Amino acid sequence: MEEEKKQISESLPETPVSQEELHGENLTDRAKVLSPGMMVMKRFFRSKLSMIGLITLIALFLFAFIGPFFSVWSGADFDGMVIDYENAKNLVVSQKLEYVVNGETFYAFSITETPMTKNVKGDITWSHWLGTDEHGWDIFTRLMLGGRISLTIGFVVVILETVLGVVLGGLAGYFGGWVDQLVMRIVDILSCIPTLPIMLILSATLTSLEILDIRRLYYLMVVLTLFGWAGTARLVRGQILSLREQEFMLAAKCSGLSTYRKIFKHLIPNVMPQLIVSMTLGLGGIILTEATLGYLGLGAPLGTATWGAMINYATQEEYLSMYWNFWVPPGICITLAILAFNFVGDGLRDAFDPKMKR
Amino acid sequence: MVKYIIKRILLSLLILFGVSVLLYVLVRMMPVDFVTQKLVAGLGSQGNDELIAERKAALYAYYGLEEHPTLLGVWNGYWKWLFQFLSGDFGTSFKTGRPVEKIIFDNMGVSFVISFISLILQLLIAIPLGIKCACNQYGKLDYTATVLSMIGISFPTFFFGSLAIKIFAMELGWFPVSGLDSGLFGVSGWTKFWDMAWHLVLPMFVLVVLNIGSMMRYTRTNTLEVLNADYIRTARAKGLSENTVVYKHVFRNTMIPLVTTLAGILPGLFGGSMITETVFGIPGIGKTAYDLLNAGDIPFIMAYNMFIAVLTVIGILLTDIMYAVVDPRVKLGK
């Protein structure tokens, strides 16, 4: 297969060199042989949208993983958070009501006065860039810490999903027969089950088992993986079915390679391009699922910051109408992350596709 | 062809059987089921243990469930459920006490209307836009539309919905915040109709904006493929005007893959959209399902999920058949 790859790259047109430039040197000195991987990289970096996606992703990761180090409000071990006791305010405007009397509009504010020592639901100030939430935590710092979990979940689930999908899809595609039948019927069944109701059932189960800490997220990841590998398996199987008939596989068979080597050294690497694309697009999907569950109040444990859990404020009318700073920033982060993964995935797909016309 | 379809239908039945087994086991594994919730709501935490156990057993017997979801209990319960389901008795919802199929059909109307109208709007906007973009590939319009459609695809429904409510309903006050009607009494006919339509504008807007992107991209890719085909070159060589080429030759051939994907929208069309309906508080099938799922209403959960699964299976089957119907080169078989 290595041979084949080299051949392809050599037969592709190199940079055109005019005759005058060639005086005194050989053509072979000038021409560089690009490996397929290099060509993909070149095409990928040429596309503007995928670059925007990549930069956004890097920015989001720096924001989530490096950002908390620079915040005074993140706790010492970055586990808990520092509550702002200094800038406490006692008046909380919680509701804005509008009356129209004789054509004149009056506004009424319901103001709660409580002797508080914490800065609760604080306004946007220089020390709190996005204000504070109802526990006195700094929303901007929480946003950074939440990004850690939200972004990590995506990677964990997608990697697990891919491993499971590649192994089962590979077996089904390579062996055919009853293995194929069995695996593909399971794939069919899984793709007919609506995911959201299943996740709702799971969440209810976890709540009633009183699993309210971080373990909730682990279970969530396991279940997302168990219901999510079907798509990858289908993709891998389809690819392997067509690759199996090609000549390099016949060559592999003739040289007496073991089944393991044939599958994992010769077939799987050829499926990698499609796999990488589907993994990148899948990352956005997992972040969306986590956020959706968070919005429905079912995802992350209480008190743990994730973008999904933070956008849950939008379900309460008080926050929806009065405190945009609670739910708009996490929403923007989620959208940006999904958008960036989609841009990168799209760019990769175009870069991998050799038939693409430019 | 007929043989193929029969084979596929048999296979679909097998898949549905697998789905039902998996769902039933999952649903019965829920430790907090409706009975426990009801018991706690009725008795509180006081009362002596014997009484509670007795009531619990009675309630379980009343709803036709085994008390402890042991393996054998689930096994027996499954066959009982399957037998009833096949004989057309979908069960009675624990929470509302009404037959499940009645709940589904009563709430499906609103969901269907919303999905159907927004689907039509999507088609009307996405297809011409996709063709236009493909005809001017890498043009300004193409770039803008591609980026915007990507943004549309990436926006989570609940976030866009919340933003729409905040901006158009709360700040500008153009549309109602949530619900299906303003609860007007004694009005009839058109007033009621317009009131409802007014409430449905925002949800439909959200659905259209978010779903238009994928359809537009699909149309665009297909059109690009068609534009490179030989018969388009022939049409141009014949000296046909660009309009005739695009609107007659390209358009018709672009429709082929689109028609086949339409069959796959079936579950979305009848099954409702859980998130959109929950965000906007519309009492459609999606919101009902969400509420009853949280209540642990076993007959409803089973029936609703099976309903969606049946729709999905039919959708996949229709897609495959449509391929053969629309494109005579495709031969179904094996």
Side-chain angles (χ1 to χ4, degrees), chain A residues 193 200-201 205 208 292 295 320-321 331 339 342 346, chain B residues 22 30-32 150 154 159 166 217 275 279 293:
Chain A
I193 293 184
L200 291 176
I201 293 176
T205 309
S208 63
T292 310
Y295 174 81
L320 186 64
S321 60
L339 189 65
N342 281 347
D346 244 36
Chain B
L22 205 61
M30 279 171 89
V32 161
M150 262 307 216
S154 308
F159 182 48
K166 169 80 177 158
R217 283 163 59 86
I275 308 284
V279 171
L293 265 165

mmCIF file with all atom_site columns, all heavy atoms in Angstrom, chain A residues 193 200-201 205 208 292 295 320-321 331 339 342 346, chain B residues 22 30-32 150 154 159 166 217 275 279 293:
data_model
loop_
_atom_site.group_PDB
_atom_site.id
_atom_site.type_symbol
_atom_site.label_atom_id
_atom_site.label_alt_id
_atom_site.label_comp_id
_atom_site.label_asym_id
_atom_site.label_entity_id
_atom_site.label_seq_id
_atom_site.pdbx_PDB_ins_code
_atom_site.Cartn_x
_atom_site.Cartn_y
_atom_site.Cartn_z
_atom_site.occupancy
_atom_site.B_iso_or_equiv
_atom_site.pdbx_formal_charge
_atom_site.auth_seq_id
_atom_site.auth_comp_id
_atom_site.auth_asym_id
_atom_site.auth_atom_id
_atom_site.pdbx_PDB_model_num
ATOM 1   N N   . ILE A 1 193 ? -33.648 3.903  17.234 1.00 0.00 ? 193 ILE A N   1
ATOM 2   C CA  . ILE A 1 193 ? -34.066 4.345  18.565 1.00 0.00 ? 193 ILE A CA  1
ATOM 3   C C   . ILE A 1 193 ? -33.780 5.833  18.700 1.00 0.00 ? 193 ILE A C   1
ATOM 4   O O   . ILE A 1 193 ? -32.659 6.267  18.462 1.00 0.00 ? 193 ILE A O   1
ATOM 5   C CB  . ILE A 1 193 ? -33.314 3.558  19.654 1.00 0.00 ? 193 ILE A CB  1
ATOM 6   C CG1 . ILE A 1 193 ? -33.766 2.113  19.614 1.00 0.00 ? 193 ILE A CG1 1
ATOM 7   C CG2 . ILE A 1 193 ? -33.581 4.149  21.023 1.00 0.00 ? 193 ILE A CG2 1
ATOM 8   C CD1 . ILE A 1 193 ? -33.163 1.277  20.696 1.00 0.00 ? 193 ILE A CD1 1
ATOM 9   N N   . LEU A 1 200 ? -33.204 10.960 28.299 1.00 0.00 ? 200 LEU A N   1
ATOM 10  C CA  . LEU A 1 200 ? -34.116 11.405 29.360 1.00 0.00 ? 200 LEU A CA  1
ATOM 11  C C   . LEU A 1 200 ? -34.325 10.288 30.374 1.00 0.00 ? 200 LEU A C   1
ATOM 12  O O   . LEU A 1 200 ? -34.295 10.512 31.587 1.00 0.00 ? 200 LEU A O   1
ATOM 13  C CB  . LEU A 1 200 ? -35.466 11.821 28.767 1.00 0.00 ? 200 LEU A CB  1
ATOM 14  C CG  . LEU A 1 200 ? -35.488 13.095 27.927 1.00 0.00 ? 200 LEU A CG  1
ATOM 15  C CD1 . LEU A 1 200 ? -36.863 13.312 27.333 1.00 0.00 ? 200 LEU A CD1 1
ATOM 16  C CD2 . LEU A 1 200 ? -35.093 14.283 28.763 1.00 0.00 ? 200 LEU A CD2 1
ATOM 17  N N   . ILE A 1 201 ? -34.540 9.067  29.853 1.00 0.00 ? 201 ILE A N   1
ATOM 18  C CA  . ILE A 1 201 ? -34.734 7.926  30.749 1.00 0.00 ? 201 ILE A CA  1
ATOM 19  C C   . ILE A 1 201 ? -33.502 7.738  31.624 1.00 0.00 ? 201 ILE A C   1
ATOM 20  O O   . ILE A 1 201 ? -33.591 7.578  32.845 1.00 0.00 ? 201 ILE A O   1
ATOM 21  C CB  . ILE A 1 201 ? -35.004 6.641  29.934 1.00 0.00 ? 201 ILE A CB  1
ATOM 22  C CG1 . ILE A 1 201 ? -36.345 6.751  29.212 1.00 0.00 ? 201 ILE A CG1 1
ATOM 23  C CG2 . ILE A 1 201 ? -34.999 5.420  30.829 1.00 0.00 ? 201 ILE A CG2 1
ATOM 24  C CD1 . ILE A 1 201 ? -36.645 5.586  28.312 1.00 0.00 ? 201 ILE A CD1 1
ATOM 25  N N   . THR A 1 205 ? -33.144 7.978  35.684 1.00 0.00 ? 205 THR A N   1
ATOM 26  C CA  . THR A 1 205 ? -32.605 6.853  36.436 1.00 0.00 ? 205 THR A CA  1
ATOM 27  C C   . THR A 1 205 ? -31.474 7.299  37.355 1.00 0.00 ? 205 THR A C   1
ATOM 28  O O   . THR A 1 205 ? -31.444 6.957  38.536 1.00 0.00 ? 205 THR A O   1
ATOM 29  C CB  . THR A 1 205 ? -32.080 5.782  35.464 1.00 0.00 ? 205 THR A CB  1
ATOM 30  O OG1 . THR A 1 205 ? -33.091 5.499  34.522 1.00 0.00 ? 205 THR A OG1 1
ATOM 31  C CG2 . THR A 1 205 ? -31.684 4.537  36.194 1.00 0.00 ? 205 THR A CG2 1
ATOM 32  N N   . SER A 1 208 ? -32.727 9.259  40.312 1.00 0.00 ? 208 SER A N   1
ATOM 33  C CA  . SER A 1 208 ? -33.391 8.495  41.353 1.00 0.00 ? 208 SER A CA  1
ATOM 34  C C   . SER A 1 208 ? -32.417 7.578  42.082 1.00 0.00 ? 208 SER A C   1
ATOM 35  O O   . SER A 1 208 ? -32.671 7.205  43.215 1.00 0.00 ? 208 SER A O   1
ATOM 36  C CB  . SER A 1 208 ? -34.533 7.690  40.759 1.00 0.00 ? 208 SER A CB  1
ATOM 37  O OG  . SER A 1 208 ? -34.001 6.767  39.852 1.00 0.00 ? 208 SER A OG  1
ATOM 38  N N   . THR A 1 292 ? -27.852 20.145 24.955 1.00 0.00 ? 292 THR A N   1
ATOM 39  C CA  . THR A 1 292 ? -29.298 19.942 24.954 1.00 0.00 ? 292 THR A CA  1
ATOM 40  C C   . THR A 1 292 ? -29.751 19.345 26.275 1.00 0.00 ? 292 THR A C   1
ATOM 41  O O   . THR A 1 292 ? -30.728 19.797 26.879 1.00 0.00 ? 292 THR A O   1
ATOM 42  C CB  . THR A 1 292 ? -29.702 19.007 23.798 1.00 0.00 ? 292 THR A CB  1
ATOM 43  O OG1 . THR A 1 292 ? -29.112 19.488 22.603 1.00 0.00 ? 292 THR A OG1 1
ATOM 44  C CG2 . THR A 1 292 ? -31.193 18.951 23.653 1.00 0.00 ? 292 THR A CG2 1
ATOM 45  N N   . TYR A 1 295 ? -29.616 21.930 28.868 1.00 0.00 ? 295 TYR A N   1
ATOM 46  C CA  . TYR A 1 295 ? -30.732 22.861 28.747 1.00 0.00 ? 295 TYR A CA  1
ATOM 47  C C   . TYR A 1 295 ? -31.982 22.269 29.382 1.00 0.00 ? 295 TYR A C   1
ATOM 48  O O   . TYR A 1 295 ? -32.737 22.954 30.062 1.00 0.00 ? 295 TYR A O   1
ATOM 49  C CB  . TYR A 1 295 ? -30.997 23.175 27.273 1.00 0.00 ? 295 TYR A CB  1
ATOM 50  C CG  . TYR A 1 295 ? -32.215 24.024 27.057 1.00 0.00 ? 295 TYR A CG  1
ATOM 51  C CD1 . TYR A 1 295 ? -32.152 25.399 27.235 1.00 0.00 ? 295 TYR A CD1 1
ATOM 52  C CD2 . TYR A 1 295 ? -33.430 23.463 26.697 1.00 0.00 ? 295 TYR A CD2 1
ATOM 53  C CE1 . TYR A 1 295 ? -33.271 26.184 27.056 1.00 0.00 ? 295 TYR A CE1 1
ATOM 54  C CE2 . TYR A 1 295 ? -34.553 24.240 26.520 1.00 0.00 ? 295 TYR A CE2 1
ATOM 55  C CZ  . TYR A 1 295 ? -34.471 25.601 26.703 1.00 0.00 ? 295 TYR A CZ  1
ATOM 56  O OH  . TYR A 1 295 ? -35.578 26.375 26.540 1.00 0.00 ? 295 TYR A OH  1
ATOM 57  N N   . LEU A 1 320 ? -34.348 34.515 31.693 1.00 0.00 ? 320 LEU A N   1
ATOM 58  C CA  . LEU A 1 320 ? -34.483 34.730 30.251 1.00 0.00 ? 320 LEU A CA  1
ATOM 59  C C   . LEU A 1 320 ? -34.744 36.200 29.955 1.00 0.00 ? 320 LEU A C   1
ATOM 60  O O   . LEU A 1 320 ? -34.195 36.775 29.025 1.00 0.00 ? 320 LEU A O   1
ATOM 61  C CB  . LEU A 1 320 ? -35.611 33.860 29.702 1.00 0.00 ? 320 LEU A CB  1
ATOM 62  C CG  . LEU A 1 320 ? -35.798 33.862 28.193 1.00 0.00 ? 320 LEU A CG  1
ATOM 63  C CD1 . LEU A 1 320 ? -34.581 33.290 27.509 1.00 0.00 ? 320 LEU A CD1 1
ATOM 64  C CD2 . LEU A 1 320 ? -37.020 33.057 27.804 1.00 0.00 ? 320 LEU A CD2 1
ATOM 65  N N   . SER A 1 321 ? -35.590 36.814 30.804 1.00 0.00 ? 321 SER A N   1
ATOM 66  C CA  . SER A 1 321 ? -35.949 38.191 30.486 1.00 0.00 ? 321 SER A CA  1
ATOM 67  C C   . SER A 1 321 ? -35.014 39.209 31.122 1.00 0.00 ? 321 SER A C   1
ATOM 68  O O   . SER A 1 321 ? -34.741 40.242 30.539 1.00 0.00 ? 321 SER A O   1
ATOM 69  C CB  . SER A 1 321 ? -37.392 38.466 30.923 1.00 0.00 ? 321 SER A CB  1
ATOM 70  O OG  . SER A 1 321 ? -37.501 38.262 32.312 1.00 0.00 ? 321 SER A OG  1
ATOM 71  N N   . GLY A 1 331 ? -24.297 30.071 25.472 1.00 0.00 ? 331 GLY A N   1
ATOM 72  C CA  . GLY A 1 331 ? -24.903 29.742 24.178 1.00 0.00 ? 331 GLY A CA  1
ATOM 73  C C   . GLY A 1 331 ? -23.966 30.085 23.040 1.00 0.00 ? 331 GLY A C   1
ATOM 74  O O   . GLY A 1 331 ? -23.792 29.303 22.099 1.00 0.00 ? 331 GLY A O   1
ATOM 75  N N   . LEU A 1 339 ? -19.774 25.272 15.422 1.00 0.00 ? 339 LEU A N   1
ATOM 76  C CA  . LEU A 1 339 ? -19.484 25.887 14.127 1.00 0.00 ? 339 LEU A CA  1
ATOM 77  C C   . LEU A 1 339 ? -18.041 25.594 13.721 1.00 0.00 ? 339 LEU A C   1
ATOM 78  O O   . LEU A 1 339 ? -17.763 25.227 12.580 1.00 0.00 ? 339 LEU A O   1
ATOM 79  C CB  . LEU A 1 339 ? -19.720 27.395 14.218 1.00 0.00 ? 339 LEU A CB  1
ATOM 80  C CG  . LEU A 1 339 ? -19.668 28.184 12.926 1.00 0.00 ? 339 LEU A CG  1
ATOM 81  C CD1 . LEU A 1 339 ? -20.801 27.759 12.018 1.00 0.00 ? 339 LEU A CD1 1
ATOM 82  C CD2 . LEU A 1 339 ? -19.772 29.674 13.193 1.00 0.00 ? 339 LEU A CD2 1
ATOM 83  N N   . ASN A 1 342 ? -17.565 22.073 12.680 1.00 0.00 ? 342 ASN A N   1
ATOM 84  C CA  . ASN A 1 342 ? -18.162 21.863 11.361 1.00 0.00 ? 342 ASN A CA  1
ATOM 85  C C   . ASN A 1 342 ? -17.278 22.433 10.259 1.00 0.00 ? 342 ASN A C   1
ATOM 86  O O   . ASN A 1 342 ? -17.098 21.807 9.213  1.00 0.00 ? 342 ASN A O   1
ATOM 87  C CB  . ASN A 1 342 ? -19.546 22.512 11.287 1.00 0.00 ? 342 ASN A CB  1
ATOM 88  C CG  . ASN A 1 342 ? -20.604 21.670 11.946 1.00 0.00 ? 342 ASN A CG  1
ATOM 89  O OD1 . ASN A 1 342 ? -20.364 20.503 12.243 1.00 0.00 ? 342 ASN A OD1 1
ATOM 90  N ND2 . ASN A 1 342 ? -21.758 22.239 12.194 1.00 0.00 ? 342 ASN A ND2 1
ATOM 91  N N   . ASP A 1 346 ? -15.588 20.081 7.488  1.00 0.00 ? 346 ASP A N   1
ATOM 92  C CA  . ASP A 1 346 ? -15.876 20.341 6.080  1.00 0.00 ? 346 ASP A CA  1
ATOM 93  C C   . ASP A 1 346 ? -14.591 20.549 5.290  1.00 0.00 ? 346 ASP A C   1
ATOM 94  O O   . ASP A 1 346 ? -14.425 20.011 4.199  1.00 0.00 ? 346 ASP A O   1
ATOM 95  C CB  . ASP A 1 346 ? -16.741 21.599 5.975  1.00 0.00 ? 346 ASP A CB  1
ATOM 96  C CG  . ASP A 1 346 ? -18.088 21.268 5.414  1.00 0.00 ? 346 ASP A CG  1
ATOM 97  O OD1 . ASP A 1 346 ? -18.579 20.180 5.733  1.00 0.00 ? 346 ASP A OD1 1
ATOM 98  O OD2 . ASP A 1 346 ? -18.630 22.098 4.666  1.00 0.00 ? 346 ASP A OD2 1
ATOM 99  N N   . LEU B 2 22  ? -35.229 -3.749 23.422 1.00 0.00 ? 22  LEU B N   1
ATOM 100 C CA  . LEU B 2 22  ? -34.262 -2.848 24.039 1.00 0.00 ? 22  LEU B CA  1
ATOM 101 C C   . LEU B 2 22  ? -34.973 -1.757 24.843 1.00 0.00 ? 22  LEU B C   1
ATOM 102 O O   . LEU B 2 22  ? -34.627 -1.471 25.994 1.00 0.00 ? 22  LEU B O   1
ATOM 103 C CB  . LEU B 2 22  ? -33.411 -2.220 22.936 1.00 0.00 ? 22  LEU B CB  1
ATOM 104 C CG  . LEU B 2 22  ? -32.029 -1.743 23.332 1.00 0.00 ? 22  LEU B CG  1
ATOM 105 C CD1 . LEU B 2 22  ? -31.227 -2.912 23.839 1.00 0.00 ? 22  LEU B CD1 1
ATOM 106 C CD2 . LEU B 2 22  ? -31.335 -1.112 22.144 1.00 0.00 ? 22  LEU B CD2 1
ATOM 107 N N   . MET B 2 30  ? -35.812 1.654  34.827 1.00 0.00 ? 30  MET B N   1
ATOM 108 C CA  . MET B 2 30  ? -35.948 2.925  35.534 1.00 0.00 ? 30  MET B CA  1
ATOM 109 C C   . MET B 2 30  ? -36.380 2.642  36.960 1.00 0.00 ? 30  MET B C   1
ATOM 110 O O   . MET B 2 30  ? -37.429 2.067  37.190 1.00 0.00 ? 30  MET B O   1
ATOM 111 C CB  . MET B 2 30  ? -37.035 3.782  34.877 1.00 0.00 ? 30  MET B CB  1
ATOM 112 C CG  . MET B 2 30  ? -36.602 4.523  33.653 1.00 0.00 ? 30  MET B CG  1
ATOM 113 S SD  . MET B 2 30  ? -38.033 5.256  32.858 1.00 0.00 ? 30  MET B SD  1
ATOM 114 C CE  . MET B 2 30  ? -38.092 6.809  33.679 1.00 0.00 ? 30  MET B CE  1
ATOM 115 N N   . PRO B 2 31  ? -35.561 3.018  37.938 1.00 0.00 ? 31  PRO B N   1
ATOM 116 C CA  . PRO B 2 31  ? -35.913 2.684  39.308 1.00 0.00 ? 31  PRO B CA  1
ATOM 117 C C   . PRO B 2 31  ? -37.100 3.508  39.805 1.00 0.00 ? 31  PRO B C   1
ATOM 118 O O   . PRO B 2 31  ? -37.918 3.010  40.567 1.00 0.00 ? 31  PRO B O   1
ATOM 119 C CB  . PRO B 2 31  ? -34.660 3.008  40.106 1.00 0.00 ? 31  PRO B CB  1
ATOM 120 C CG  . PRO B 2 31  ? -33.655 3.470  39.133 1.00 0.00 ? 31  PRO B CG  1
ATOM 121 C CD  . PRO B 2 31  ? -34.300 3.719  37.854 1.00 0.00 ? 31  PRO B CD  1
ATOM 122 N N   . VAL B 2 32  ? -37.170 4.769  39.382 1.00 0.00 ? 32  VAL B N   1
ATOM 123 C CA  . VAL B 2 32  ? -38.332 5.528  39.798 1.00 0.00 ? 32  VAL B CA  1
ATOM 124 C C   . VAL B 2 32  ? -39.351 5.433  38.701 1.00 0.00 ? 32  VAL B C   1
ATOM 125 O O   . VAL B 2 32  ? -39.231 6.034  37.661 1.00 0.00 ? 32  VAL B O   1
ATOM 126 C CB  . VAL B 2 32  ? -37.976 6.991  40.055 1.00 0.00 ? 32  VAL B CB  1
ATOM 127 C CG1 . VAL B 2 32  ? -39.219 7.845  40.023 1.00 0.00 ? 32  VAL B CG1 1
ATOM 128 C CG2 . VAL B 2 32  ? -37.332 7.129  41.402 1.00 0.00 ? 32  VAL B CG2 1
ATOM 129 N N   . MET B 2 150 ? -24.024 27.261 7.322  1.00 0.00 ? 150 MET B N   1
ATOM 130 C CA  . MET B 2 150 ? -23.213 26.586 8.334  1.00 0.00 ? 150 MET B CA  1
ATOM 131 C C   . MET B 2 150 ? -23.570 27.091 9.727  1.00 0.00 ? 150 MET B C   1
ATOM 132 O O   . MET B 2 150 ? -23.706 26.305 10.671 1.00 0.00 ? 150 MET B O   1
ATOM 133 C CB  . MET B 2 150 ? -21.732 26.882 8.075  1.00 0.00 ? 150 MET B CB  1
ATOM 134 C CG  . MET B 2 150 ? -21.027 25.808 7.332  1.00 0.00 ? 150 MET B CG  1
ATOM 135 S SD  . MET B 2 150 ? -21.227 24.249 8.100  1.00 0.00 ? 150 MET B SD  1
ATOM 136 C CE  . MET B 2 150 ? -19.662 23.551 7.785  1.00 0.00 ? 150 MET B CE  1
ATOM 137 N N   . SER B 2 154 ? -25.172 25.009 12.873 1.00 0.00 ? 154 SER B N   1
ATOM 138 C CA  . SER B 2 154 ? -24.468 24.884 14.150 1.00 0.00 ? 154 SER B CA  1
ATOM 139 C C   . SER B 2 154 ? -25.249 25.441 15.336 1.00 0.00 ? 154 SER B C   1
ATOM 140 O O   . SER B 2 154 ? -24.950 25.110 16.472 1.00 0.00 ? 154 SER B O   1
ATOM 141 C CB  . SER B 2 154 ? -23.123 25.600 14.068 1.00 0.00 ? 154 SER B CB  1
ATOM 142 O OG  . SER B 2 154 ? -22.408 25.168 12.958 1.00 0.00 ? 154 SER B OG  1
ATOM 143 N N   . PHE B 2 159 ? -31.013 27.398 22.014 1.00 0.00 ? 159 PHE B N   1
ATOM 144 C CA  . PHE B 2 159 ? -30.365 28.704 22.153 1.00 0.00 ? 159 PHE B CA  1
ATOM 145 C C   . PHE B 2 159 ? -30.973 29.699 21.175 1.00 0.00 ? 159 PHE B C   1
ATOM 146 O O   . PHE B 2 159 ? -31.332 30.819 21.550 1.00 0.00 ? 159 PHE B O   1
ATOM 147 C CB  . PHE B 2 159 ? -28.858 28.573 21.916 1.00 0.00 ? 159 PHE B CB  1
ATOM 148 C CG  . PHE B 2 159 ? -28.105 29.861 22.084 1.00 0.00 ? 159 PHE B CG  1
ATOM 149 C CD1 . PHE B 2 159 ? -28.314 30.661 23.206 1.00 0.00 ? 159 PHE B CD1 1
ATOM 150 C CD2 . PHE B 2 159 ? -27.201 30.292 21.133 1.00 0.00 ? 159 PHE B CD2 1
ATOM 151 C CE1 . PHE B 2 159 ? -27.623 31.852 23.362 1.00 0.00 ? 159 PHE B CE1 1
ATOM 152 C CE2 . PHE B 2 159 ? -26.504 31.478 21.287 1.00 0.00 ? 159 PHE B CE2 1
ATOM 153 C CZ  . PHE B 2 159 ? -26.720 32.259 22.397 1.00 0.00 ? 159 PHE B CZ  1
ATOM 154 N N   . LYS B 2 166 ? -36.381 36.108 23.473 1.00 0.00 ? 166 LYS B N   1
ATOM 155 C CA  . LYS B 2 166 ? -35.869 37.289 24.171 1.00 0.00 ? 166 LYS B CA  1
ATOM 156 C C   . LYS B 2 166 ? -35.997 38.541 23.284 1.00 0.00 ? 166 LYS B C   1
ATOM 157 O O   . LYS B 2 166 ? -36.467 39.589 23.725 1.00 0.00 ? 166 LYS B O   1
ATOM 158 C CB  . LYS B 2 166 ? -34.403 37.032 24.556 1.00 0.00 ? 166 LYS B CB  1
ATOM 159 C CG  . LYS B 2 166 ? -33.642 38.247 25.044 1.00 0.00 ? 166 LYS B CG  1
ATOM 160 C CD  . LYS B 2 166 ? -33.947 38.544 26.484 1.00 0.00 ? 166 LYS B CD  1
ATOM 161 C CE  . LYS B 2 166 ? -33.121 39.722 26.966 1.00 0.00 ? 166 LYS B CE  1
ATOM 162 N NZ  . LYS B 2 166 ? -33.694 40.376 28.123 1.00 0.00 ? 166 LYS B NZ  1
ATOM 163 N N   . ARG B 2 217 ? -27.360 23.161 1.300  1.00 0.00 ? 217 ARG B N   1
ATOM 164 C CA  . ARG B 2 217 ? -26.063 22.583 0.952  1.00 0.00 ? 217 ARG B CA  1
ATOM 165 C C   . ARG B 2 217 ? -26.241 21.338 0.095  1.00 0.00 ? 217 ARG B C   1
ATOM 166 O O   . ARG B 2 217 ? -25.483 21.096 -0.838 1.00 0.00 ? 217 ARG B O   1
ATOM 167 C CB  . ARG B 2 217 ? -25.285 22.238 2.221  1.00 0.00 ? 217 ARG B CB  1
ATOM 168 C CG  . ARG B 2 217 ? -24.669 23.447 2.876  1.00 0.00 ? 217 ARG B CG  1
ATOM 169 C CD  . ARG B 2 217 ? -24.282 23.141 4.279  1.00 0.00 ? 217 ARG B CD  1
ATOM 170 N NE  . ARG B 2 217 ? -23.327 22.051 4.366  1.00 0.00 ? 217 ARG B NE  1
ATOM 171 C CZ  . ARG B 2 217 ? -22.007 22.233 4.262  1.00 0.00 ? 217 ARG B CZ  1
ATOM 172 N NH1 . ARG B 2 217 ? -21.523 23.425 4.085  1.00 0.00 ? 217 ARG B NH1 1
ATOM 173 N NH2 . ARG B 2 217 ? -21.194 21.219 4.349  1.00 0.00 ? 217 ARG B NH2 1
ATOM 174 N N   . ILE B 2 275 ? -37.531 19.614 21.438 1.00 0.00 ? 275 ILE B N   1
ATOM 175 C CA  . ILE B 2 275 ? -36.868 20.806 21.959 1.00 0.00 ? 275 ILE B CA  1
ATOM 176 C C   . ILE B 2 275 ? -37.647 22.066 21.591 1.00 0.00 ? 275 ILE B C   1
ATOM 177 O O   . ILE B 2 275 ? -37.964 22.873 22.460 1.00 0.00 ? 275 ILE B O   1
ATOM 178 C CB  . ILE B 2 275 ? -35.434 20.899 21.414 1.00 0.00 ? 275 ILE B CB  1
ATOM 179 C CG1 . ILE B 2 275 ? -34.689 19.612 21.652 1.00 0.00 ? 275 ILE B CG1 1
ATOM 180 C CG2 . ILE B 2 275 ? -34.724 22.069 22.042 1.00 0.00 ? 275 ILE B CG2 1
ATOM 181 C CD1 . ILE B 2 275 ? -34.238 19.410 23.035 1.00 0.00 ? 275 ILE B CD1 1
ATOM 182 N N   . VAL B 2 279 ? -39.270 24.611 24.253 1.00 0.00 ? 279 VAL B N   1
ATOM 183 C CA  . VAL B 2 279 ? -38.825 26.004 24.372 1.00 0.00 ? 279 VAL B CA  1
ATOM 184 C C   . VAL B 2 279 ? -40.007 26.950 24.265 1.00 0.00 ? 279 VAL B C   1
ATOM 185 O O   . VAL B 2 279 ? -40.149 27.886 25.053 1.00 0.00 ? 279 VAL B O   1
ATOM 186 C CB  . VAL B 2 279 ? -37.776 26.334 23.284 1.00 0.00 ? 279 VAL B CB  1
ATOM 187 C CG1 . VAL B 2 279 ? -37.476 27.815 23.275 1.00 0.00 ? 279 VAL B CG1 1
ATOM 188 C CG2 . VAL B 2 279 ? -36.509 25.559 23.519 1.00 0.00 ? 279 VAL B CG2 1
ATOM 189 N N   . LEU B 2 293 ? -42.422 11.446 29.610 1.00 0.00 ? 293 LEU B N   1
ATOM 190 C CA  . LEU B 2 293 ? -41.167 10.713 29.805 1.00 0.00 ? 293 LEU B CA  1
ATOM 191 C C   . LEU B 2 293 ? -40.620 10.982 31.192 1.00 0.00 ? 293 LEU B C   1
ATOM 192 O O   . LEU B 2 293 ? -40.159 10.083 31.883 1.00 0.00 ? 293 LEU B O   1
ATOM 193 C CB  . LEU B 2 293 ? -40.133 11.167 28.786 1.00 0.00 ? 293 LEU B CB  1
ATOM 194 C CG  . LEU B 2 293 ? -40.001 10.354 27.513 1.00 0.00 ? 293 LEU B CG  1
ATOM 195 C CD1 . LEU B 2 293 ? -39.218 11.126 26.487 1.00 0.00 ? 293 LEU B CD1 1
ATOM 196 C CD2 . LEU B 2 293 ? -39.313 9.047  27.809 1.00 0.00 ? 293 LEU B CD2 1
#
